[in-house]
Amino acid sequence: MVQKIIVLGSTGSIGTQSLEVIDYFPQEFEILGMSAASNIDLLEKQLRRYRPQFVAVLDKRKAKELRQRIRDIHITNVLEGEDGIIELASLESSNIIIVALVGFSGLKPTLAAVRKGKKVAIANKEALVTGGELIMSEAKKNNSFLIPVDSEHSAIFQCLHAGKPEEVARIILTASGGPFRDFTEEELRWVTPSEALKHPNWEMGAKITIDSATLMNKGFEVLEASWLFQLPLEQIEVVIHPQSIIHSMVEFLDGSVIAQMGIPDMLLPIQYALTYPERWESRFPRLVFKEILNLDFLPPDKQKFACLELAYQAGRIGGTMPAVLNAANEVAVAKFLQKKISFVQIPELLDTVMSRHALSKSSSLEEIVQADEWAREEAAALSL
Ligand code: MG
């Protein structure tokens, strides 16, 4: 049976790579729908190529423009706005939803897909960071299956097959350490957005590249792993592994450590998410063991990269705090890119906003959205 796929965020980094994977298997996969925030130039090209039945554009003005542009092709439904993307995520006729949206915008569509009992290939970690409890409980209730696309979580998911859930001792998430791994605290003060946007191993969008440089991305991955694999934070550890060859590891009760390895490339985890529970042959580049292959490991410097510890803190507090951390971080990253704050002020800003938050222990969608809005305003108004 052909699997009908919805790609939410088809013009982004994971979105375009998802289409690349789908291209390898035209007999097995079909694009039913795609969405973009505002890049309708690329979206139009994708529509002409894949001819999906449905499309959604977040920016309503751009949606109107797109309708004009594609009058000659037969796409009956150009949905618009946040509601349009949620509608796309809720379509009865789809089999797999790839959530490749950026930031908090991933939460509501993920929730909608989960409530429809779909297979959800999730690349957006902010949905689980902010609404993990809600998403996991709705997934259980509606028989939805969440499969990770993030390389670390795909690795963990693969390693977990080596034992039973109750046999897991801990998860070891690997981190490249980003471009500033070896910088001194003094050097970190002066790093520029363009330096932070150069990641040594991975090609990614701007938001996640900055998050990788601050280790906030790793912090979010800790929270994401805790929800996806239903493990307490104390059983999730982070280790710096500069080569990004081991994508993550699972240690079992007997001390055996299972690692998943590969070259740093998102195509493999994307393909595995789509083909699971099977593995299909791929033409992606492979590890070559005839060449010298060094694997180094070192502990993360929590002093220099305070964002990682802030994520653990927010996770331990729970309730709306992870949503506050995420929202403040989105604002802080934007401010850093606009050169309004320095690199080292990113964790300072997050810490201040978190300390001012009146916590709610509830994890309803309304409270999460409210906390998100509050934290954005607070972070925007804050001058350091
Ligand atoms: Mg990752």
Side-chain angles (χ1 to χ4, degrees), residues 125 150-152 217-218 221:
K125 59 198 62 151
D150 207 350
S151 63
E152 292 81 357
N217 181 56
K218 208 49 57 180
E221 287 181 356

Side-chain angles (χ1 to χ4, degrees), residues 166-180:
E166 63 271 24
E167 293 166 351
V168 173
R170 58 191 179 127
I171 281 174
I172 303 143
L173 277 165
T174 55
S176 72
F180 310 132

